[in-house]
């Protein structure tokens, strides 16, 4: 980040989120079966504590101390390493709120583990929240909001400019067997990466009819699997560890592959750059969700409102390395504006090219009703066959 030294704590935050998935899609017209859980009707007395499951870097004494002093709600935080862990912890009923990525969010909503939100009780969930972070399928289901946006990031094409001599225009350099960088290509090691193949196919093979990379029928999933198996023949390595990915690029073992802007900045090598190719890409969005079993609902609502203020939401974004949800943060100083510019926080045209991670479910989130879409379990099973 410009004007702010990246900390080891932030690197830990990056490392743990790499094991997760985040997601989104326009929810208009998509009907998903979810349990009928009532929302909180009005604020009452604060209960004295709030138990949070969160990604590293999302809860910090720099902003929790003031919240505790103002509300009397003592923050008890547990850092999770994966979306699966978040889902498991929330299902114990011991936690009030979670900073869920999209795949965890949709699972929790469909499973009845979180409650719809009364946004009138969250004044800072306002027009200052980026338009592209509202009303997405991972946290807004059947017209009901379940999540308060925290931040977002894109999966970009990172490249070694000393080798490529400019930004590749297309993702073909990581997918096609005639890539000049064969053997020095990296790809994200997770079933959700199937969506990246779907993004590429959507652009280059429109006859497949892919409208949403997370809504794949069996034929579309088969096409993505075939492309991924083709890519496997030219891959140098798959990555899920941030430090290993940075080391591989910095050492010259990798020339092109999927990355985040924050990882390029950690590498601190001027020859390592990122670009958004013509096909677009995938990305991740995170949101606060409240447990359906919470005993501290007033403290949970107060936490969501407090962390949605421009200053606190922006601090979380800078601590982790992502675009803040509350874009009013951007204009507060030269440093914050530089951060927002770096992560395209106010550039909605950029985000229209990003398909944020969404857990695949049998209900087609692209609105199709005449076919059954493939589930995340089917994607998980497929991923095991791709790497051989």
């Amino acid at each position: 980040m410009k004007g702010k030294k990246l900390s080891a704590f932030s690197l830990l935050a990056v490392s743990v989120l790499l094991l997760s998935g985040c997601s989104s899609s326009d929810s208009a017209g998509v009907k998903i079966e979810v349990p009928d859980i009532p929302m909180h009707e009005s604020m009452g007395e604060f209960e004295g504590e709030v138990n949070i499951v969160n990604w590293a870097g999302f809860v910090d004494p720099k902003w929790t101390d003031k919240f505790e002093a103002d509300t009397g709600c003592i923050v008890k935080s547990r850092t999770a390493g994966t979306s699966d862990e978040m889902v498991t912890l929330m299902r114990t009923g011991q936690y009030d709120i979670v900073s869920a990525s999209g795949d965890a969010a949709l699972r929790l909503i469909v499973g009845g583990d979180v409650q719809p939100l009364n946004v009138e009780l969250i004044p800072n969930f306002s027009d200052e929240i980026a338009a592209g972070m509202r009303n997405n399928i991972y946290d807004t289901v059947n017209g009901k909001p379940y999540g308060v946006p925290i931040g977002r990031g894109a999966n970009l094409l990172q490249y070694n400019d000393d080798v490529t001599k400019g930004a590749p225009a297309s993702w073909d350099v990581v997918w096609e067997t005639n890539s000049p960088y064969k053997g020095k290509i990296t790809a994200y090691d997770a079933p959700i990466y199937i969506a990246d193949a779907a993004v590429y196919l959507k652009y280059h093979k429109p006859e497949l009819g892919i409208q949403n990379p997370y809504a794949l029928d069996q034929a579309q999933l088969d096409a993505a699997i075939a492309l991924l198996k083709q890519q496997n023949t030219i891959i140098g390595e798959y990555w899920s560890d941030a430090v290993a990915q940075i080391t591989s690029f910095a050492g010259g073992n990798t020339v092109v592959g999927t990355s985040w802007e924050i990882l390029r900045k950690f590498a601190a090598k001027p020859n390592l750059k990122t670009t958004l190719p013509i096909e677009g890409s995938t990305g991740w969005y995170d949101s606060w969700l409240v447990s359906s079993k919470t005993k501290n609902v007033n403290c949970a609502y107060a936490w969501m409102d407090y962390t949605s203020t421009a200053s606190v939401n922006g601090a979380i974004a800078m601590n982790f390395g992502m675009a803040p949800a509350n874009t009013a943060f951007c204009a507060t100083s030269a440093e914050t504006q530089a951060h927002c510019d770096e992560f395209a926080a106010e550039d909605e045209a950029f985000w229209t090219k990003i398909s944020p991670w969404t857990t695949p479910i049998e209900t087609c989130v692209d609105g199709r009703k005449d076919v059954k879409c493939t589930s995340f379990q089917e994607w998980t099973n497929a991923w095991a066959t791709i790497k051989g």
Side-chain angles (χ1 to χ4, degrees), residues 21-141:
C22 313
S23 59
S24 166
S25 171
D26 187 345
S27 59
V30 179
K31 179 70 174 179
I32 298 175
E33 288 191 21
V34 296
D36 186 14
I37 296 172
M39 68 179 184
H40 192 39
E41 294 294 341
S42 61
M43 293 294 288
E45 293 185 8
F46 294 130
E47 300 87 357
E49 67 178 36
V50 60
N51 300 281
I52 305 173
V53 178
N54 54 275
W55 298 121
F58 279 39
V59 178
D60 190 286
K62 290 192 292 290
W63 50 86
T64 57
D65 288 351
K66 183 177 187 308
F67 172 78
E68 290 178 342
D70 289 347
T71 64
C73 301
I74 303 304
V75 176
K76 299 179 179 180
S77 167
R78 175 161 177 171
T79 299
T82 68
S83 286
D84 286 347
E85 184 182 0
M86 284 189 169
V87 170
T88 298
L89 289 171
M90 288 300 289
R91 286 177 174 168
T92 67
Q94 298 175 23
Y95 298 91
D96 305 302
I97 194 167
V98 60
S99 64
S101 298
D103 61 339
L106 194 54
R107 276 187 278 172
L108 291 167
I109 293 168
V110 172
D113 303 295
V114 293
Q115 59 183 270
L117 299 180
N118 185 345
V119 295
E120 292 183 1
L121 303 180
I122 313 171
N124 287 306
F125 186 5
S126 65
D127 290 342
E128 293 179 341
I129 300 297
M133 292 203 70
R134 288 177 272 156
N135 301 319
N136 291 299
I137 195 71
Y138 62 84
D139 68 0
T140 304
V141 176

Side-chain angles (χ1 to χ4, degrees), residues 235-270:
I235 280 283
E237 57 188 62
Y238 293 92
W239 71 275
S240 59
D241 178 81
V243 176
Q245 193 260 23
I246 292 167
T247 301
S248 184
F249 265 103
N253 293 326
T254 297
V255 173
V256 292
T258 306
S259 188
W260 296 352
E261 182 68 10
I262 190 64
L263 298 190
R264 181 192 65 78
K265 294 178 72 62
F266 271 124
K269 297 283 187 179

Side-chain angles (χ1 to χ4, degrees), residues 58-310:
F58 279 39
V59 178
D60 190 286
K62 290 192 292 290
W63 50 86
T64 57
D65 288 351
K66 183 177 187 308
F67 172 78
E68 290 178 342
D70 289 347
T71 64
C73 301
I74 303 304
V75 176
K76 299 179 179 180
S77 167
R78 175 161 177 171
T79 299
T82 68
S83 286
D84 286 347
E85 184 182 0
M86 284 189 169
V87 170
T88 298
L89 289 171
M90 288 300 289
R91 286 177 174 168
T92 67
Q94 298 175 23
Y95 298 91
D96 305 302
I97 194 167
V98 60
S99 64
S101 298
D103 61 339
L106 194 54
R107 276 187 278 172
L108 291 167
I109 293 168
V110 172
D113 303 295
V114 293
Q115 59 183 270
L117 299 180
N118 185 345
V119 295
E120 292 183 1
L121 303 180
I122 313 171
N124 287 306
F125 186 5
S126 65
D127 290 342
E128 293 179 341
I129 300 297
M133 292 203 70
R134 288 177 272 156
N135 301 319
N136 291 299
I137 195 71
Y138 62 84
D139 68 0
T140 304
V141 176
N142 303 334
K144 294 182 179 180
Y146 285 77
V148 172
I150 307 169
R152 55 185 170 177
N155 298 317
L156 301 173
L157 175 59
Q158 184 162 291
Y159 61 97
N160 184 334
D161 194 49
D162 288 346
V163 179
T164 63
K165 306 300 181 184
S170 169
W171 282 104
D172 60 3
V173 294
V174 306
W175 292 112
E176 302 297 341
T177 55
N178 63 353
S179 171
Y181 313 114
K182 181 177 181 179
K184 293 197 171 185
I185 299 167
T186 188
Y188 184 53
D189 189 2
I192 203 69
Y193 185 65
I194 291 172
D196 291 68
V199 167
Y200 186 76
L201 291 171
K202 178 183 176 183
Y203 186 93
H204 291 281
K205 292 191 175 182
E207 64 272 18
L208 288 169
I210 296 173
Q211 298 300 316
N212 182 306
Y214 309 99
L216 304 182
D217 60 36
Q218 190 60 56
Q220 293 165 341
L221 177 60
D222 290 344
I225 293 169
L227 179 61
L228 285 154
K229 288 183 175 180
Q230 172 180 293
Q231 183 193 52
N232 179 256
T233 66
I234 60 172
I235 280 283
E237 57 188 62
Y238 293 92
W239 71 275
S240 59
D241 178 81
V243 176
Q245 193 260 23
I246 292 167
T247 301
S248 184
F249 265 103
N253 293 326
T254 297
V255 173
V256 292
T258 306
S259 188
W260 296 352
E261 182 68 10
I262 190 64
L263 298 190
R264 181 192 65 78
K265 294 178 72 62
F266 271 124
K269 297 283 187 179
N271 60 310
L272 299 183
K273 301 179 180 181
T274 54
T275 187
L276 179 62
I278 56 173
E279 298 91 353
S281 191
T282 59
W284 46 269
Y285 291 22
D286 291 339
S287 305
W288 297 115
L289 287 83
V290 177
S291 170
S292 57
K293 305 178 184 70
T294 179
K295 297 178 181 178
N296 303 303
V297 66
N298 294 297
C299 283
Y301 266 76
W303 173 259
M304 289 188 294
D305 190 50
Y306 175 70
T307 55
S308 294
T309 60

